[in-house]
Amino acid sequence: VGRATVFWHFSDKASVFRESFTRMLAPFRDSLLRSDSAVDPAKRLEQQIESSKTFAEAHGNEITACVRWALESAELREIVVDTLLDLNHRFAGSLAETVSDLIPEDRDPKLIAQGLMLAFDATLLLGFFDQKSRSHDERMSSVQALVSMIQHDSRVSEARTAVSYTHLRAHE
């Protein structure tokens, strides 16, 4: 494809970049739109984290290049930052829906999902600077530990509900 053909469809480099970046992220964004409400919430939470991890690993070089361009170019920075923040917000919302199905009602699923997102995002961000696989694996293990804590909280809540229900039935 010649330069003239590209600029026939796009007015400038930023437009080409925006379209390329958007298309690269489209499969992950689309995966957030699919409702997996039929899947057990504990399993769904694992799947959400795993699909995000898999996408980040599969497109790590491209994402790294885009972030570097954003750091070097004010024109591209806004595109990258806005797009990544939007995607992050969507993913956090998807996680919050799942977490709300797992935790007791007196806890805020949005805050818990955001904490999980912070751990996951930090793992990805630090991966740009520290590419040792052992360090990355340890950081991903901490994300998995948070997922396990949320799942455990769900099982404890379910057990308490069952005990309370049994206790109420015994007093009828």
Side-chain angles (χ1 to χ4, degrees):
V1 176
R3 182 179 171 96
T5 303
V6 170
F7 286 107
W8 174 260
H9 296 284
F10 299 99
S11 59
D12 56 13
K13 283 193 254 182
S15 297
V16 173
F17 179 81
R18 178 183 296 110
E19 183 64 22
S20 299
F21 193 54
T22 300
R23 285 181 185 234
M24 179 186 71
L25 298 174
F28 184 67
R29 183 180 296 110
D30 292 346
S31 76
L32 297 175
L33 299 175
R34 284 184 237 122
S35 175
D36 292 335
S37 58
V39 176
D40 172 66
K43 183 70 176 164
R44 187 175 354 130
L45 184 59
E46 288 177 9
Q47 290 173 345
Q48 288 171 312
I49 294 296
E50 185 59 34
S51 70
S52 183
K53 178 184 168 213
T54 300
F55 181 84
E57 288 171 352
H59 297 283
N61 292 336
E62 296 93 335
I63 293 169
T64 299
C66 291
V67 169
R68 284 194 178 124
W69 288 332
L71 293 173
E72 295 170 5
S73 167
E75 184 180 18
L76 300 180
R77 184 175 308 127
E78 184 177 335
I79 295 167
V80 171
V81 170
D82 289 350
T83 302
L84 289 178
L85 287 177
D86 175 65
L87 191 61
N88 191 278
H89 178 75
R90 291 170 190 258
F91 186 45
S94 180
L95 286 175
E97 285 180 29
T98 299
V99 169
S100 71
D101 290 339
L102 290 168
I103 61 172
E105 290 181 16
D106 64 334
R107 306 243 172 101
D108 187 340
K110 186 176 178 183
L111 293 176
I112 293 171
Q114 286 178 344
L116 183 57
M117 281 295 302
L118 284 171
F120 188 79
D121 289 347
T123 297
L124 295 179
L125 180 63
L126 291 173
F128 292 128
F129 305 106
D130 177 14
Q131 297 179 356
K132 297 179 195 118
S133 62
R134 182 171 180 214
S135 298
H136 175 76
D137 291 346
E138 288 173 352
R139 288 189 294 270
M140 278 310 297
S141 292
S142 71
V143 172
Q144 188 54 49
L146 290 172
V147 169
S148 295
M149 288 171 52
I150 294 166
Q151 292 168 329
H152 174 76
D153 203 23
S154 172
R155 289 188 297 272
V156 168
S157 177
E158 288 172 3
R160 285 185 185 143
T161 301
V163 167
S164 295
Y165 180 74
T166 303
H167 182 73
L168 287 173
R169 299 283 299 176
H171 285 69
E172 287 182 352

